Amino acid sequence: MFSPGDVIAFSGTHPVSWLIRAVTLSAYSHVGVCFQYGSRTLLCESTTLLDTPCEIEHRCFSGVQAQSPFERIRTHQGRVYVLRPYWPYTERDSQELTKFCLNCIGTEYDTLEAGLSGTRRLKHWFVGTENQQFCSELVCRSQQYLRRVPPPPGAYRGPADPSDFNPGVLVKYLTRYWQAYREPELVN
């Protein structure tokens, strides 16, 4: 059902999810990207809301972790969508995505940047860091790492700075502006 590179977008009913959707004026409150880990497809995501141990670290924590996409969808309260790449991932793309995700596992959740990504002006005053990441920043960085979307700007912030993207804006850029992904399909 899921392949490496698929982006899963969540539209949750949890109070935090509802707040994210309300502040960002979006249907989406969370995103993650699927990657291949051995014979399994896992979801790489950065979150604070799970009580399920990471499939790689085998412990619960806040930040970048790997989960079974099927279990996440089964236990999610709300709607779930999948965005599929226009261009299928090659074996090399899949390996590079796995490398990227495994390098990010354990990275702390970036609460400040996540909150700022929902603003129009404040987010431009802060420079994001890679030692902390929130969900849409992680997914955007993964796509930039694979050169499937425009790279981040140099030493200044600009339109492709991963920390500027909340889930709704990222979905819009992936599907409409960068045309790297097909429109979201409802999973549940």
Side-chain angles (χ1 to χ4, degrees):
M1 180 181 209
F2 297 109
S3 301
D6 286 353
V7 170
I8 299 179
F10 298 85
S11 181
T13 58
H14 184 280
V16 172
S17 301
W18 182 89
L19 180 64
I20 292 167
R21 290 187 299 116
V23 168
T24 62
L25 302 175
S26 169
Y28 310 104
S29 55
H30 183 67
V31 290
V33 63
C34 293
F35 73 102
Q36 196 70 34
Y37 184 69
S39 62
R40 301 174 61 200
T41 299
L42 295 177
L43 178 66
C44 184
E45 61 182 331
S46 187
T47 185
T48 61
L49 299 177
L50 291 183
D51 295 328
T52 308
C54 170
E55 295 280 334
I56 309 292
E57 295 279 321
H58 306 290
R59 63 184 177 90
C60 295
F61 59 91
S62 171
V64 180
Q65 51 195 280
Q67 299 288 332
S68 161
F70 304 104
E71 187 64 17
R72 281 289 280 127
I73 290 167
R74 187 184 70 73
T75 61
H76 179 69
Q77 295 176 343
R79 294 190 183 264
V80 180
Y81 302 83
V82 62
L83 288 75
R84 301 196 191 275
Y86 269 116
W87 304 279
Y89 274 50
T90 65
E91 183 62 31
R92 185 175 188 283
D93 289 337
S94 180
Q95 291 169 355
E96 288 296 310
L97 179 60
T98 297
K99 180 173 133 185
F100 174 87
C101 290
L102 291 176
N103 284 335
C104 291
I105 300 290
T107 303
E108 290 180 30
Y109 187 81
D110 194 342
T111 305
L112 174 63
E113 288 285 340
L116 290 173
S117 74
T119 68
R120 293 192 134 185
R121 300 207 192 303
L122 290 177
K123 64 184 175 185
H124 300 294
W125 295 355
F126 297 87
V127 176
T129 64
E130 291 183 34
N131 62 344
Q132 292 182 326
Q133 295 188 61
F134 60 97
C135 66
S136 43
E137 177 183 20
L138 172 72
V139 173
C140 186
R141 283 189 197 284
S142 74
Q143 300 306 295
Q144 289 175 335
Y145 179 79
L146 294 170
R147 294 185 171 90
R148 286 184 163 252
V149 301
Y156 64 92
R157 293 179 69 87
D161 187 313
S163 62
D164 283 351
F165 291 96
N166 62 59
V169 171
L170 181 63
V171 167
K172 188 184 298 183
Y173 268 78
L174 288 174
T175 58
R176 295 187 190 146
Y177 301 124
W178 295 331
Q179 297 180 346
Y181 279 81
R182 300 180 189 286
E183 288 295 318
E185 304 167 21
L186 185 63
V187 175
N188 77 339

